[in-house]
Amino acid sequence: MSVDTMSSDGLRDVMVDELIADHEAKGLAMRPEVEAALRAVPRELYTPGVPVAEAYRSDTAVITKKRGDETVSSVSAPWLIAEMLGQAADALDGGLPGRHVLEIGSGGYNASLLRELVGPSGSVMTVDIDPEVTERAVACLAAAGYGDVTVVCADAEQPIDPGRRFDLIIVTAGAWDIPPAWITQLVEGGVLVVPLRTFGMTRSWALRRNGDRLVSQSQRLCGFVAMQGAGTHEMRYVDVAEGVHLRLDEGQQVNPESVRGLLSQPRVQAWAGVDLPPRTVLADLDLWLAARLADEVDQLVVLSAQQEAVDAGVVAPGWRFGTPAALHDGTFVYRSALCWIADMFDLGACAHGSNAVAAAGQMVAHMRAWVEAGEPSPRLHVLPAGTPDGDLPAGTVLDKRHSRLVLTFTSA
């Protein structure tokens, strides 16, 4: 039977089978209750007007609202939803049954999955700042039989239902900071799952509350539409060549003409001299590089590029959608594409400018250090703004408006 003639139930089962295989390829295991929820909820009812086969593509988000060219609301890709739900269940001792959950960023589909997971003794509230989104969520939830999910239209930067506490807060919009309301609305030991930007790179962090601070339990590579309302923080993009951009998210000041001039200079390539298997988590390496370079360079940025620019050899980034890069002492350096030999690969760096050899060598030295340390994963600590330096854990500090973030690393 072809996809075009398959029933929605059949498509849903195919989607979940693909998600399980995707988990296994990443070294993860899908929790049975998450699998059951994904097989139970009719995703097509949350994507009206979209072909059913498209609604059940496991790797694709369905855009539900745009403002000009900007996507402001979507039904997230199933692979990402499944991973975040797994993060939440793993971080909560005893899982999700009976829990009280607040979802920030509403489309309806994720809220219905959560409703399945918390069971009859739990509850789900979903909030969005956009009344069109919440009205649509109410209609879709009712059509799918989840009318007992509470839908609220509000800016979640401020407390929702003040005085109420939740076991889990799960955010389905890209955040730059963590407002105090998200911490105070959690019970002690409660969990916040949030796509948070650190050094311009987004990860879904599962963070457990411990008093006035949060400590991460897991993180996953992800991407989301940006937070709206009081929590908005604009990501700036600077074009430095045809199809090549720098992402600036922490107040960096970059002269695009200067970078354009550096890219016109000869490229120096350096290699770390390591042999790594395909399952190596390079997203962890990228945060390691950001943490190590943050105090060593003038400007830490993220390089992104169109495929045409990569094919033309203008740049050769490790990942064209976002690779750590740095500007320092008249030189531009970034993590380069991998060098594959059979089924293993080496890590490298490309540099342009007056100190290109030293800059590329410094970056690959940090790569070797990550491998020698056991390819450690990042751990994130979130503390209130104003916390004295002496009360911070040892690590790389990134100050936001509401909080002080500290990145540390632990061996796998």
Side-chain angles (χ1 to χ4, degrees), residues 285-294 300 324 335 363 366-367:
L285 170 62
D286 285 346
L287 284 178
W288 169 277
L289 290 174
R292 293 302 180 272
L293 293 170
L300 178 67
R335 183 170 75 78
M363 182 170 276
H366 286 308
M367 296 174 186

Side-chain angles (χ1 to χ4, degrees), residues 164-169 181-192 207-209 214:
R164 184 172 179 183
R165 299 292 179 266
F166 299 91
D167 302 293
L168 169 68
I169 298 176
W182 296 359
I183 300 175
T184 59
Q185 288 179 117
L186 282 175
V187 300
E188 182 65 18
V191 170
L192 169 68
L207 302 150
R208 183 179 293 158
R209 181 181 179 182
L214 302 169

Side-chain angles (χ1 to χ4, degrees), residues 19-192:
L19 295 176
I20 292 171
D22 180 61
H23 271 57
E24 291 174 352
K26 295 174 180 175
L28 306 173
M30 183 179 290
R31 294 176 67 106
E33 66 271 32
V34 174
E35 177 186 346
L38 288 163
R39 292 195 191 277
V41 175
R43 181 174 165 91
E44 74 274 13
L45 296 183
Y46 299 90
T47 59
V50 171
V52 176
E54 184 176 336
Y56 282 108
R57 288 186 59 181
S58 62
D59 60 350
T60 306
V62 176
I63 296 171
T64 54
K65 184 174 180 180
K66 300 191 77 168
R67 186 178 296 124
D69 293 331
E70 180 187 10
T71 298
V72 295
S73 184
S74 68
V75 180
S76 301
W79 72 265
L80 182 50
I81 289 174
E83 288 193 24
M84 291 178 71
L85 292 175
Q87 282 185 278
D90 288 344
L92 284 165
D93 294 334
L96 283 164
R99 302 292 188 171
H100 301 287
V101 180
L102 173 65
E103 179 195 33
I104 297 173
S106 184
Y109 177 61
N110 196 54
S112 60
L113 293 169
L114 287 164
R115 192 69 193 89
E116 289 282 342
L117 288 164
V118 301
S121 60
S123 68
V124 177
M125 176 183 291
T126 182
V127 59
D128 200 281
I129 196 171
D130 188 333
E132 289 185 25
V133 172
T134 53
E135 289 170 10
R136 182 176 169 279
V138 168
C140 291
L141 285 162
Y146 297 96
D148 58 349
V149 171
T150 303
V151 182
V152 177
C153 184
D155 187 341
E157 183 86 355
Q158 304 303 321
I160 305 300
D161 194 2
R164 184 172 179 183
R165 299 292 179 266
F166 299 91
D167 302 293
L168 169 68
I169 298 176
I170 187 164
V171 183
T172 57
W176 181 78
D177 195 4
I178 294 177
W182 296 359
I183 300 175
T184 59
Q185 288 179 117
L186 282 175
V187 300
E188 182 65 18
V191 170
L192 169 68

Side-chain angles (χ1 to χ4, degrees), residues 335-350:
R335 183 170 75 78
S336 73
L338 308 175
C339 176
W340 285 90
I341 300 176
D343 58 351
M344 304 290 277
F345 66 82
D346 193 4
L347 300 165
C350 290

Side-chain angles (χ1 to χ4, degrees), residues 267-345:
R267 178 191 300 166
V268 170
Q269 173 80 62
W271 297 104
V274 297
D275 294 307
L276 297 173
R279 195 176 276 185
T280 304
V281 184
L282 295 178
D284 291 354
L285 170 62
D286 285 346
L287 284 178
W288 169 277
L289 290 174
R292 293 302 180 272
L293 293 170
D295 295 328
E296 298 179 356
V297 301
D298 296 330
Q299 300 287 355
L300 178 67
V301 297
V302 175
L303 170 68
S304 62
Q306 303 297 318
Q307 187 62 50
E308 293 79 5
V310 175
D311 293 342
V314 180
V315 288
W319 190 45
R320 72 178 186 86
F321 297 104
T323 293
L327 287 158
H328 185 68
D329 197 19
T331 304
F332 180 63
V333 61
Y334 58 90
R335 183 170 75 78
S336 73
L338 308 175
C339 176
W340 285 90
I341 300 176
D343 58 351
M344 304 290 277
F345 66 82

